[in-house]
Amino acid sequence: MFPFGICKESMDSVISVSGLRKSFGAAEAVKDVSFEVHKGEIFGLLGPNGAGKTTTIRIILDLFKPDAGHAHILGGPMTEAKKPRIGYLPEERGLYRDLKLEDCLVYLAELKGVPRDVARKRALAYFERFDLVEHRRKKVNDLSKGMQQKAQLIATLLHQPDVLIIDEPFSGLDPVNTRLAQELLIEERRRGTTLIMSTHQMHQVEEMCDRIVLIHQGRSVLYGGVDEIRRSHAENAVRLVARGDIPALPGVTDGGLKGNTRTLRLAPGLSPQTVLQQLAGTPGLLIESFELALPTMDDIFVSVVGGNGSTARAAD
């Protein structure tokens, strides 16, 4: 049974996880996880350390067998024929450290069925994009942490998979390369690729993800669209930037100033539109911006997991 009213696999479902359970000895890593990932979306797989995210990913990839439930991908259980259509970026680097970078990536692409000359041509295009051309003859072990992360991402994309499962894709990247990686992943979505992204960087979730599932203590506890979830957790409040004195209004409490943005908390039943109309009619007050005070995904994450996000378990 899917959570939150989802009861069957959707027609556009690329990944379908239902009632997943998995234990390692006495440690129950996954207790009840369910979600769907739709074709061509970026889906966030979120949760504190030890929540069961990595175990769930490994079950989807058929690296672990579930004790109960199922994880379907590309229309059913994993098969050997589906594996070349999937790209997996683990949090732990998995490149051959004693091979030269270009040889390593070409070899991995060949394992996925890409001809060698095609793999070299694609690799060179990625090297140019990520400023790795002059490093392509270096051994992987001699590259910096950030370079190795870029190489790992290239290895995941080189065979042009239909599904990408990426775990902490921006780890070790500086802001410039983070932006490059972000743009590359968004381009993959435009190409029709389906992405699952597991990350602790909630601002990346807000910027990139269409929908998310939040796993806590082995269970799905939050599931849906990012905007929908932020709105459902919002207080009745607004943020505004204005020049001039903001008058006292019935049912409105000053929530304080942060930078040049002021928060106003509204009494139950008082609509933001009413407040905006009242402020717009105030002589000498120029409103430069006015918006609902939506919580960040960071705020929601902490609220839902109850501040226990750093609690590690025996198996993730």
Side-chain angles (χ1 to χ4, degrees), residues 55-102:
T55 298
T56 298
I57 288 173
R58 289 174 178 172
I59 292 172
I60 292 171
L61 294 171
D62 200 33
L63 301 176
F64 292 157
K65 299 295 184 183
D67 298 330
H70 78 249
H72 288 174
I73 186 167
L74 294 168
M78 177 69 78
T79 64
E80 288 300 316
K82 292 178 182 178
K83 290 182 179 179
R85 299 174 61 191
I86 300 165
Y88 176 42
L89 173 67
E91 185 174 8
E92 306 84 8
R93 292 176 182 83
L95 302 179
Y96 294 101
R97 301 177 67 82
D98 290 329
L99 286 182
K100 293 178 181 178
L101 173 61
E102 184 175 7

Side-chain angles (χ1 to χ4, degrees), residues 20-24 27-30 55 59 64-67:
L20 217 57
R21 300 176 68 92
K22 179 65 180 179
S23 296
F24 299 92
E28 196 173 16
V30 177
T55 298
I59 292 172
F64 292 157
K65 299 295 184 183
D67 298 330

Side-chain angles (χ1 to χ4, degrees), residues 294-312:
L294 298 180
T296 65
M297 287 303 299
D298 262 326
D299 296 333
I300 295 170
F301 186 102
V302 172
S303 173
V304 171
V305 305
N308 295 321
S310 61
T311 302

Side-chain angles (χ1 to χ4, degrees), residues 253-270:
T253 304
D254 190 342
L257 189 66
K258 185 175 183 181
N260 62 348
T261 302
R262 185 171 298 279
T263 299
L264 300 179
R265 306 191 187 282
L266 314 186
L270 180 59

Side-chain angles (χ1 to χ4, degrees), residues 93 143-151 171-174 177:
R93 292 176 182 83
L143 300 176
S144 69
K145 182 179 178 181
M147 289 179 184
Q148 290 186 34
Q149 183 68 6
K150 290 190 286 186
S171 175
L173 298 182
D174 61 34
N177 284 300

